[in-house]
């Protein structure tokens, strides 16, 4: 829990196993460790995809889809 408090309200970049990246503000998790982000943008990964992304607002990302999590500078 101490580690989670340390990244609360920080910007995270989450890569999912379906080739998407979410960049947003970490505001919490649930009992199953699904991640809740706000002010989030979604990016499709791949050479032919639009690099600009799209605003999706608040999202809950299921733990089973998460491939990688990193702090965004």
């Amino acid at each position: 829990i101490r580690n989670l408090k340390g990244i609360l309200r920080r910007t995270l970049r989450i890569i999912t196993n379906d080739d998407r990246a979410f960049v947003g503000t970490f505001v919490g998790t649930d009992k199953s460790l699904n991640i809740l982000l706000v002010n989030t943008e979604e990016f499709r990964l791949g050479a032919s995809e639009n690099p600009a992304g799209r605003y999706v607002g608040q999202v809950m990302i299921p733990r089973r889809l998460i491939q990688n999590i990193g702090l965004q500078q």
Side-chain angles (χ1 to χ4, degrees):
I1 292 178
R2 190 172 302 159
N3 290 338
L4 291 177
K5 286 183 179 179
I7 61 171
L8 198 60
R9 293 183 296 278
R10 302 271 311 266
T11 302
L12 296 182
R13 177 183 172 97
I14 298 178
I15 308 295
T16 59
N17 58 17
D18 59 355
D19 291 329
R20 292 184 290 167
F22 294 90
V23 178
T25 304
F26 175 68
V27 291
T29 185
D30 62 9
K31 196 175 190 178
S32 301
L33 297 179
N34 300 313
I35 302 290
L36 180 62
L37 300 177
V38 296
N39 298 323
T40 307
E41 288 188 87
E42 174 191 27
F43 299 88
R44 298 266 181 195
L45 304 176
S48 64
E49 301 298 336
N50 180 4
R54 67 183 181 122
Y55 181 78
V56 292
Q58 180 173 313
V59 294
M60 175 70 79
I61 303 172
R63 177 181 173 201
R64 62 181 168 76
L65 291 181
I66 296 173
Q67 185 175 353
N68 190 339
I69 300 175
L71 279 174
Q72 191 81 356
Q73 298 299 330

